[in-house]
Amino acid sequence: MASDEKQPTVIKKYANRRLYHTGTSTYVTLEDLGRMVREGEDFAVTDAKTGEDITRSVLTQIIFEQENKEGAQTMLPIAFLRQLIRLYGDSMQAVVPAYLEFSMESFLREQAKLREQVTTAFGGKAFGSLEEQVRANMSLFSDAMRMFSPFPGVRAEAMKRHVDAAGEGGATTGVGKPAEGSARELDDLKAQMAEMQAKLREITDKG
């Protein structure tokens, strides 16, 4: 029955801007109210003197505080804010609230599905596994780049293989052997690069 539904907690705002939580009989801050929203606790803010519902303005103030918090990531792009302001007084203003509410609900539904799919795929360790996957991809990519590194360490190793190959084949064709070894070395590097790219594609497909 509707009468059995839990009523929102009443927060009273006084003239001195203090916020009073009637459920716990304590004063709270905007940060406390923001946490309540994130935890799914419903509340309504009223003016302690007039009884007017000022929930909308308080929620807007919470967003303002979050957007201006130093070091925090913002969520409202400047272009979006400009477009939103342009819609005030526009003939489409009446439909904007319903559109934004529908869009946000759709986004949250898709977000929940994505979280569930990722959690299932990685056995309950979604975010940690994703970070490990990214590190693995970067490691493989770095290894692939080092295959064609022009730095001395790589060249020295390649030269050592060339010399060994020339020694095994004899010294009668000293000019030709290093060239043949260089060609083989390039073929080996190309094969290793192809193998590394295949591994990267395999990991990306699994992710």
Side-chain angles (χ1 to χ4, degrees):
M1 296 176 61
S3 58
D4 295 332
E5 295 181 0
K6 184 178 180 180
Q7 297 299 311
T9 300
V10 175
I11 308 294
K12 292 184 177 182
K13 186 176 183 180
Y14 290 89
N16 58 6
R17 297 187 179 181
R18 298 193 71 182
L19 299 162
Y20 184 76
H21 192 304
T22 60
T24 60
S25 300
T26 57
Y27 286 99
V28 293
T29 64
L30 286 175
E31 188 173 348
D32 293 327
L33 295 184
R35 186 178 64 254
M36 290 170 64
V37 171
R38 288 189 291 273
E39 293 175 352
E41 183 175 349
D42 192 15
F43 61 83
V45 186
T46 61
D47 185 294
K49 183 178 181 179
T50 65
E52 178 186 0
D53 188 326
I54 55 174
T55 305
R56 183 189 305 276
S57 64
V58 171
L59 292 176
T60 304
Q61 190 175 356
I62 292 173
I63 293 174
F64 177 82
E65 294 285 342
Q66 290 293 322
E67 287 291 307
N68 287 277
K69 185 177 294 185
E70 185 176 355
Q73 182 178 1
T74 61
M75 288 199 301
L76 299 177
I78 292 177
F80 171 78
L81 293 173
R82 292 184 189 278
Q83 292 166 354
L84 194 60
I85 291 172
R86 291 192 188 103
L87 287 170
Y88 281 99
D90 188 272
S91 58
M92 297 297 293
Q93 179 177 344
V95 302
V96 171
Y99 173 77
L100 292 178
E101 186 174 359
F102 173 79
S103 298
M104 182 58 70
E105 289 177 352
S106 298
F107 171 77
L108 292 176
R109 283 197 300 271
E110 293 303 318
Q111 183 188 48
K113 290 179 183 178
L114 179 60
R115 287 182 184 275
E116 182 179 353
Q117 290 171 357
V118 171
T119 301
T120 301
F122 290 99
K125 298 180 180 179
F127 296 104
S129 297
L130 284 174
E131 290 174 359
E132 293 173 5
Q133 194 71 65
V134 170
R135 284 196 293 269
N137 289 350
M138 290 303 298
S139 177
L140 288 173
F141 181 75
S142 297
D143 289 343
M145 291 301 100
R146 280 196 294 271
M147 289 180 184
F148 288 105
S149 173
F151 297 108
V154 176
R155 289 203 305 270
E157 180 64 24
M159 183 61 70
K160 181 178 181 297
R161 285 194 289 269
H162 294 164
V163 172
D164 291 343
E168 292 171 1
T172 56
T173 54
V175 176
K177 286 296 182 181
E180 294 174 5
S182 179
R184 285 196 300 272
E185 180 67 22
L186 182 58
D187 289 339
D188 289 343
L189 289 176
K190 288 181 178 179
Q192 291 173 351
M193 175 61 81
E195 182 181 356
M196 191 65 65
Q197 290 174 336
K199 290 181 178 178
L200 284 171
R201 284 195 297 269
E202 181 181 353
I203 290 175
T204 302
D205 292 340
K206 289 182 178 178

